[in-house]
Amino acid sequence: MNKFTNQLKWLVFAFTMLCFPHFLTAQNFTVKGKITDALTGKPIESATVTPKNSKNATLTNGAGEFSISVPNGEKLSISSIGFETQSVFANKDFLSIQLSADTKQLNDVVVTALGIR
C-alpha cells in the first residue's frame, strides 16, 4: 500500500507541475492608462479601449484615464472620433497613449430631402 501511495503522490505532483504554467498564462491583470491628444497634450474623454480577443470595452473618463482587465500581452485598440485609431500591447500596468488627429476631411457635403415636391 505504501508503494501505491508514493506512486499516486508522484502522479498528482507531475500532473500539477504540467498544469501550473497554463494557469499562470491564463490569468488577467488590470491595465490602467491615460489617453491624451498628441498635439495639445490634453486628455481625450470618451475614447474607446477595446481588447482584440474580447468584447469587453471601456471608455476613458473626463481625465482621459481608463482601467480594463485583460490577459498579459493582449493587443488593445484605442479609438476616438476625430483621432486615428492606435493599437498597443497591454504589457505594462500603466500605459500612456497619445492619439494623433485624423487628417482626413470631407471635401463635399450633399444634403438631400425625400418627399419634397
Side-chain angles (χ1 to χ4, degrees), residues 111-117:
V111 179
T112 62
L114 297 175
I116 296 179
R117 296 180 187 195

Side-chain angles (χ1 to χ4, degrees), residues 11-48:
L11 183 63
V12 170
F13 177 74
F15 180 75
T16 304
M17 289 291 104
L18 288 173
C19 293
F20 187 69
H22 174 71
F23 294 122
L24 288 178
T25 58
Q27 292 189 6
N28 289 353
F29 75 105
T30 301
V31 177
K32 295 181 181 181
K34 185 170 185 175
I35 300 174
T36 56
D37 185 339
L39 185 61
T40 64
K42 292 183 179 180
I44 299 175
E45 183 178 358
S46 298
T48 305

Side-chain angles (χ1 to χ4, degrees), residues 31-94:
V31 177
K32 295 181 181 181
K34 185 170 185 175
I35 300 174
T36 56
D37 185 339
L39 185 61
T40 64
K42 292 183 179 180
I44 299 175
E45 183 178 358
S46 298
T48 305
V49 180
T50 310
K52 181 180 178 184
N53 296 320
S54 175
K55 293 185 181 188
N56 295 333
T58 188
L59 295 174
T60 57
N61 62 15
E65 298 168 342
F66 70 92
S67 177
I68 191 167
S69 179
V70 295
N72 189 15
E74 180 79 8
K75 195 170 194 178
L76 301 175
S77 176
I78 296 92
S79 61
S80 184
I81 296 174
F83 294 92
E84 292 181 3
T85 300
Q86 186 175 346
S87 294
V88 296
F89 286 101
N91 53 8
K92 294 189 260 182
D93 291 338
F94 187 83

